[in-house]
Amino acid sequence: MIKLRIKEYREQKNLSYRQLEILSGVSKTMIFNIETGRRSPTIDILEKLAKGLKVSIHDLIEEI
């Protein structure tokens, strides 16, 4: 699931929600809501998160 991949990469890189917000341009509230399953990311948001995490979109959407 995408939410698990985002959280996994964020935690592997020791990034707080605020740090990923700065790197990606996606609000920390949105990141939290995606990780907790309250919101589904658009392709635009996935692109921004992938860039902030320095991974490909494919890395975020592939199955664990």
Side-chain angles (χ1 to χ4, degrees):
M1 295 176 76
I2 293 171
K3 67 182 187 177
L4 298 176
R5 299 295 287 173
I6 292 169
K7 183 175 183 176
E8 176 185 316
Y9 281 115
R10 183 179 61 77
E11 289 178 346
Q12 280 178 1
K13 296 171 185 286
N14 293 314
L15 296 172
S16 67
Y17 290 113
R18 177 69 177 134
Q19 290 168 319
L20 183 53
E21 175 183 47
I22 292 166
L23 294 171
S24 68
V26 176
S27 76
K28 61 184 178 182
T29 301
M30 176 62 83
I31 297 165
F32 175 81
N33 285 335
I34 292 169
E35 286 187 2
T36 58
R38 294 178 182 160
R39 298 286 304 266
S40 295
T42 63
I43 191 69
D44 181 53
I45 289 174
L46 281 177
E47 287 176 345
K48 290 177 179 182
L49 290 172
K51 184 177 178 181
L53 291 165
K54 296 184 173 40
V55 297
S56 71
I57 289 179
H58 176 75
D59 292 330
L60 295 180
I61 62 175
E62 74 179 345
E63 293 296 318
I64 296 177

